[in-house]
Amino acid sequence: MDFLKVSSKSSPASVAGAIAGMVKDGVPVNIQCVGAGAVNQATKAIAIARGFLIPTGVDISCAPTFSDIEIGGESRTAIRIAIYVHDISRQSSAPSISGGRASGENVL
Amino acid sequence: MDFLKVSSKSSPASVAGAIAGMVKDGVPVNIQCVGAGAVNQATKAIAIARGFLIPTGVDISCAPTFSDIEIGGESRTAIRIAIYVHDISRQSSAPSISGGRASGENVL
């Protein structure tokens, strides 16, 4: 399985664009991040991607899991985030949306 | 709306217990975090809570949004995370939980 690898230096807006593009193309999206900064950028990217996708009738949510990986011969714990796609134009029980901001300028 | 406020010093296991308890009780769960450390602890808590809930036939996913809040008179950008509940014992289209090794070259 391929993963979008997000680091603490990744641009949330760029990652959001990648997520939204893959969702629109029907490609499964899985994100891998190691470290608090990377998890934060990935989470911001998902919030921004929701802002891109919701106007097109699609929402996404995410399911994190832990995963042991090796980086440079050392064992690390990564967070892997699976993206679920929800067709909000069809569902009557659509998830409630409180509008993600489509902006890369959210410095946390 | 009440929020579970998670900080960088929150215990992921404790927050996970709170999330799982609220989900089992049918209480809507919304998490608020400010800063990368807090987002990381919240994400870990959600991963742990999934481990508590999946054996009971329930999975959760999460939908992050940005929110402008005031802390001590200063404006900050918080991440708010809504928790969606999925009954995996009933759905044939249960969300797949990703595993496997990292092999992707999609470094962002």
Side-chain angles (χ1 to χ4, degrees):
Chain A
M1 185 182 292
D2 286 346
F3 290 91
L4 275 180
K5 290 182 184 168
V6 174
S7 82
S8 60
K9 292 175 183 168
S10 297
S11 151
S14 299
V15 178
I19 294 170
M22 290 169 77
V23 167
K24 282 182 184 168
D25 291 343
V27 178
V29 184
N30 289 280
I31 298 167
Q32 177 172 294
C33 21
V34 178
V39 170
N40 188 45
Q41 298 305 82
T43 303
K44 288 194 281 184
I46 293 163
I48 296 167
R50 294 183 70 211
F52 293 159
L53 290 166
I54 288 169
T56 72
V58 172
D59 195 6
I60 55 175
S61 65
C62 56
T65 54
F66 295 105
S67 184
D68 293 322
I69 63 168
E70 266 195 26
I71 297 178
E74 286 193 22
S75 180
R76 300 289 302 269
T77 299
I79 299 275
R80 288 181 173 170
I81 303 173
I83 302 292
Y84 298 156
V85 179
H86 311 274
D87 183 347
I88 54 175
S89 63
R90 217 178 39 178
Q91 291 180 348
S92 58
S93 60
S96 69
I97 294 136
S98 44
R101 273 200 329 239
S103 157
E105 297 176 348
N106 303 294
V107 181
L108 289 180
Chain B
M1 186 184 289
D2 285 344
F3 290 92
L4 273 181
K5 289 183 183 166
V6 174
S7 82
S8 61
K9 292 174 182 170
S10 298
S11 152
S14 299
V15 176
I19 294 169
M22 291 169 78
V23 168
K24 282 182 184 169
D25 292 343
V27 177
V29 184
N30 289 281
I31 298 167
Q32 178 173 293
C33 20
V34 178
V39 170
N40 188 45
Q41 297 306 80
T43 303
K44 288 194 280 184
I46 294 162
I48 295 168
R50 293 183 71 212
F52 293 159
L53 290 166
I54 289 171
T56 72
V58 173
D59 195 4
I60 54 174
S61 65
C62 56
T65 55
F66 295 105
S67 184
D68 293 322
I69 62 168
E70 266 197 25
I71 298 178
E74 286 193 21
S75 180
R76 299 290 302 270
T77 300
I79 299 275
R80 288 180 173 170
I81 303 173
I83 302 293
Y84 298 156
V85 179
H86 310 274
D87 183 347
I88 54 174
S89 63
R90 216 177 39 177
Q91 291 179 345
S92 57
S93 60
S96 66
I97 294 148
S98 61
R101 306 290 307 173
S103 61
E105 297 299 320
N106 303 308
V107 181
L108 292 174

